């Protein structure tokens, strides 16, 4: 849910706050809570407790983190949180911080546990461990260890190294585990998390796609009022679902603008004009801005600069479209609808105090002098949740199940300067890869398969008995749940061979196809 929902709409969902102490798994915790059909939001550990409580959370989860609780400058937490009457669940670092703050003992013994670890449950009938086995495998990642629980807590589990691997205080509704229940390697982790949510915090699993649509429709109507909005359609899932959601809320007050910037994949424009309009009945305005974008990108190779240029030009084009729509009469166009997702916000350094990995054109790439107020109904959703909302809205599978495609388009899949010739070359290679993946039935197995042109790189090859000096094409097939983490997809060799053969045979100036087999982290899904 966007932040505006909880501030403006009385029927906002029960919220679980995930306090991020710098954990690599903070986003995963939030996802696991949502999988339990309870709404969650991530907040930074630097947020004052009073501000956390002002959000009226029904429960709070303290994430793990890389620090030692005794390390100078390590994240801390005001003990007032544990006296507020809100159920709290500490994981890993959050567990240790809870223990120390409430008077327990955490030792820096030098004994560490990393990876899969046997957990011995001593209280199988406890709130967290009810119905789980006495011995279970969990995922540990810690150096310090809790040797004594705070007064009033019951120790419920241990390991060979850690005498206090879990504790509970039902009276104060405070719970903690030393391990990471959110990762799949903890065999009963999701069950433990749900026990906290349902039994410890007394929450009900009521957050559904139907709720999302209902709440967002109400929030959008309240935000927009009787004014008009425009939405930039990119051909991707995110902008399509955002537009359909806003269309449901305000109907004819929305005009969708499709900017044909020349950075789209083959057949993209035709699909937007045909499929989306047919599915929603939305008013669509098509703007041909290919020359404008190419001129703005001329001579630019730096990826961050390209993203910011594309974001800037999008806004300028929308301002032109706004002027034309206003000239037609009616209320002012005051709002811009964007398909911003939660991973976009996190990677752009927003929301949790994280580092700026890259500026997404719709977050960090927007110009400072933007004249629109943003409507971002998907801002707090992960990609799979967006697809479910699209299905709830009745969008066709051809749109909802499309592979993710970045807003800056092929402009960030060309490593080097963007030119029309390079775009045409990459478009053909991408179309071949997409065709073969679909023919092999791999569209659902592969989350996304960026096809990248290394425009500033050339390699020697042999074609037609002659020497060539052409560009490499990179295939980047990945599997993921939400784009926060990803692994490269182990595609069948015969499919890779067909794609490679066709690209090198059919696309001029390409004499090599390579496979990117890097996970995220350390790499990102897109190259730029």
């Amino acid at each position: 849910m966007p932040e505006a929902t909880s501030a403006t709409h009385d029927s906002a969902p029960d919220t679980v706050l995930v306090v991020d102490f710098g954990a690599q798994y903070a986003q995963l915790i939030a996802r696991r809570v949502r999988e339990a059909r309870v709404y969650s939001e991530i907040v930074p550990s630097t947020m004052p407790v009073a501000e956390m409580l002002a959000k009226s959370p029904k429960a709070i989860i303290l994430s793990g983190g890389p620090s030692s609780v005794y390390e100078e400058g390590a994240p801390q937490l005001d003990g007032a949180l544990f006296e507020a009457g809100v159920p709290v669940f500490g994981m890993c670092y959050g567990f240790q911080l809870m223990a120390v703050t409430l008077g327990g003992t955490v030792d820096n013994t030098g004994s560490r546990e990393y990876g899969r670890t046997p957990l011995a449950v001593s209280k199988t009938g406890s709130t967290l461990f009810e119905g789980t086995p006495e011995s279970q495998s969990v995922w540990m990642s810690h150096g310090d260890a809790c040797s004594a629980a705070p007064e009033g807590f019951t120790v419920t589990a241990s390991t060979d190294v850690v005498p206090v691997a879990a504790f509970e205080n039902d009276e104060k509704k405070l719970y903690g585990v030393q391990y990471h229940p959110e990762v799949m390697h903890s065999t009963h982790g999701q069950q433990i998390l749900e026990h906290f949510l349902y039994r410890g915090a007394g929450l009900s699993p009521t957050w559904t796609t139907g709720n999302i649509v209902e709440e967002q429709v109400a929030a959008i109507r309240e935000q927009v009022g009787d004014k008009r909005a425009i939405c930039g359609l990119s051909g991707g899932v995110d902008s399509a679902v955002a537009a359909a959601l806003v269309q449901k809320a305000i109907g004819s007050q929305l005009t969708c603008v499709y900017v044909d910037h020349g950075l789209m994949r083959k057949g993209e424009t035709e699909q937007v004009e045909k499929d989306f309009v047919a599915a929603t009945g939305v008013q669509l305005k098509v703007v041909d801005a290919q020359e404008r974008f190419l001129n703005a990108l001329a001579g630019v190779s730096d990826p961050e600069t390209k993203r910011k240029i594309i974001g800037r030009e999008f806004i300028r084009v929308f301002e032109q479209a706004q002027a034309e729509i206003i000239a037609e009469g009616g209320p002012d166009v005051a709002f811009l609808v964007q398909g911003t997702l939660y991973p976009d916000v996190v990677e752009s350094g927003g929301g949790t105090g994280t580092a700026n990995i890259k500026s997404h054109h719709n977050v960090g790439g927007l110009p400072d002098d933007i004249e629109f107020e943003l409507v971002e109904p998907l801002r707090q959703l992960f990609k799979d949740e967006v697809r479910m909302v699209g299905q709830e809205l009745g969008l066709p599978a051809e749109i909802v199940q499309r592979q993710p495609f970045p807003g800056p388009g092929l402009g960030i899949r060309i490593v080097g300067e963007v030119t029309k010739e390079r775009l045409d070359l990459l478009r053909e290679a991408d179309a071949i890869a997409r065709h073969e993946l679909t023919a092999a039935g791999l569209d659902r197995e592969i989350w996304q398969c960026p096809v990248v042109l290394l425009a500033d790189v050339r390699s020697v090859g042999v074609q037609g008995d002659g020497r060539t000096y052409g560009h490499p094409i990179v295939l980047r097939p990945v599997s993921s749940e939400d784009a926060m983490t990803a692994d490269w997809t182990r595609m069948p060799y015969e499919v890779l061979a067909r794609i490679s053969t066709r690209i090198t045979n059919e696309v001029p100036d390409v004499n090599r196809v390579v496979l990117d087999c890097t996970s995220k982290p350390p790499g990102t899904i897109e190259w730029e």
Side-chain angles (χ1 to χ4, degrees):
M1 294 316 102
E3 296 161 2
T5 303
S6 58
T8 60
H9 189 39
D10 292 339
S11 62
D14 291 342
T15 299
V16 173
L17 295 184
V18 177
V19 182
D20 184 4
F21 288 99
Q24 60 177 317
Y25 297 132
Q27 290 78 29
L28 184 57
I29 296 171
R31 279 194 46 74
R32 296 297 184 235
V33 174
R34 295 184 186 193
E35 287 173 9
R37 294 172 60 192
V38 177
Y39 176 62
S40 63
E41 287 183 9
I42 300 174
V43 297
S45 61
T46 53
M47 176 180 285
V49 166
E51 289 186 25
M52 294 182 193
L53 298 177
K55 289 177 170 286
S56 302
K58 300 300 183 183
I60 293 174
I61 295 176
L62 309 180
S63 84
S67 302
S68 163
V69 290
Y70 298 119
E71 182 180 320
E72 185 177 351
Q76 299 297 313
L77 192 63
D78 186 345
L81 178 68
F82 304 115
E83 303 299 327
V86 179
V88 180
F89 186 16
M91 300 177 179
C92 196
Y93 181 84
F95 164 76
Q96 295 177 357
L97 194 58
M98 179 187 290
V100 169
T101 304
L102 294 175
T105 304
V106 174
D107 302 313
N108 192 337
T109 62
S111 298
R112 301 180 177 186
E113 287 180 314
Y114 294 106
R116 286 187 177 87
T117 304
L119 181 78
V121 180
S122 55
K123 302 289 184 180
T124 54
S126 71
T127 297
L128 294 186
F129 291 103
E130 171 74 35
T132 67
E134 293 182 2
S135 179
Q136 49 192 274
S137 180
V138 299
W139 190 259
M140 290 283 193
S141 180
H142 68 94
D144 297 347
C146 183
S147 59
E151 185 178 350
F153 283 74
T154 300
V155 177
T156 54
S158 62
T159 73
D160 291 342
V161 173
V162 181
V164 183
F167 56 45
E168 303 182 17
N169 185 327
D170 283 318
E171 182 181 350
K172 292 190 174 182
K173 297 188 180 300
L174 303 178
Y175 307 87
V177 297
Q178 176 59 74
Y179 60 93
H180 290 278
E182 71 274 21
V183 305
M184 64 180 181
H185 305 297
S186 294
T187 52
H188 296 275
Q190 185 67 14
Q191 189 175 358
I192 301 302
L193 177 58
E194 290 179 2
H195 280 171
F196 166 70
L197 296 171
Y198 304 154
R199 306 179 74 208
L203 295 170
S204 299
T206 57
W207 195 67
T208 66
T209 52
N211 297 145
I212 297 172
V213 171
E214 179 183 345
E215 289 154 10
Q216 282 310 304
V217 164
I220 292 163
R221 286 173 179 163
E222 184 170 345
Q223 181 183 7
V224 176
D226 60 358
K227 292 185 170 61
R228 285 190 289 175
I230 59 175
C231 175
L233 281 180
S234 68
V237 178
D238 307 335
S239 65
V241 174
L245 197 49
V246 175
Q247 167 78 3
K248 182 177 178 65
I250 63 174
S252 61
Q253 291 169 246
L254 173 69
T255 299
C256 287
V257 178
Y258 175 73
V259 178
D260 187 359
H261 50 26
L263 307 175
M264 305 305 290
R265 295 183 292 188
K266 193 172 183 178
E268 208 91 36
T269 300
E270 293 77 9
Q271 183 187 49
V272 170
E273 291 186 281
K274 176 186 172 186
D275 295 345
F276 185 76
V277 173
T280 63
V282 74
Q283 299 179 67
L284 179 65
K285 182 181 184 66
V286 179
V287 180
D288 185 350
Q290 296 183 52
E291 187 174 348
R292 175 178 185 149
F293 276 80
L294 283 173
N295 288 340
L297 291 167
V300 178
S301 296
D302 177 71
E304 272 293 283
T305 305
K306 284 195 286 188
R307 285 178 176 272
K308 290 183 181 298
I309 287 172
I310 293 169
R312 181 196 70 209
E313 293 303 315
F314 257 106
I315 296 302
R316 299 292 88 97
V317 171
F318 282 131
E319 288 171 346
Q320 285 186 351
Q322 177 196 36
E324 295 172 5
I325 293 169
I326 290 174
E328 299 168 1
D332 288 344
V333 178
F335 297 92
L336 171 62
V337 180
Q338 291 202 135
T340 306
L341 302 193
Y342 202 26
D344 299 340
V345 177
V346 172
E347 288 195 338
S348 296
T352 62
T354 53
N356 185 348
I357 299 171
K358 59 186 178 186
S359 293
H360 289 261
H361 79 287
N362 51 353
V363 185
L366 293 176
D368 295 333
D369 59 347
I370 181 174
E371 296 180 0
F372 300 106
E373 182 177 337
L374 297 180
V375 178
E376 298 179 308
L378 312 178
R379 188 179 176 86
Q380 294 295 334
L381 299 184
F382 293 97
K383 178 71 76 172
D384 58 330
E385 295 170 328
V386 172
R387 294 190 196 280
M388 289 189 288
V389 169
Q391 291 172 340
E392 180 76 19
L393 292 168
L395 292 178
E398 292 78 12
I399 293 177
V400 174
Q401 296 303 330
R402 291 197 60 206
Q403 289 188 3
F405 187 62
L410 298 180
I412 59 166
R413 290 185 177 174
I414 295 175
V415 180
E417 182 185 3
V418 178
T419 67
K420 184 179 185 306
E421 293 72 25
R422 290 174 173 180
L423 285 166
D424 291 341
L425 184 156
L426 180 54
R427 248 189 291 272
E428 291 303 318
D430 176 83
I432 290 170
R434 286 191 292 141
H435 178 270
E436 293 298 337
L437 292 177
T438 300
L442 296 174
D443 286 341
R444 294 295 181 93
E445 180 179 334
I446 296 175
W447 162 272
Q448 189 176 6
C449 186
V451 178
V452 181
L453 171 64
L454 303 185
D456 287 346
V457 176
R458 285 185 178 270
S459 63
V460 175
V462 178
Q463 291 174 300
D465 295 328
R467 179 186 186 276
T468 62
Y469 195 50
H471 299 291
I473 284 285
V474 180
L475 302 180
R476 173 73 167 132
V478 297
S479 300
S480 178
E481 287 186 336
D482 51 35
M484 296 308 303
T485 60
D487 194 12
W488 66 282
T489 306
R490 277 64 168 175
M491 287 172 54
Y493 289 151
E494 58 270 20
V495 178
L496 288 170
R498 282 199 299 272
I499 294 174
S500 177
T501 300
R502 285 197 57 194
I503 289 177
T504 52
N505 284 349
E506 300 175 29
V507 181
D509 295 326
V510 173
N511 62 1
R512 194 178 298 268
V513 175
V514 300
L515 176 67
D516 182 348
C517 53
T518 311
S519 62
K520 175 186 179 181
T524 54
I525 293 177
E526 298 288 347
W527 273 50
E528 294 202 335

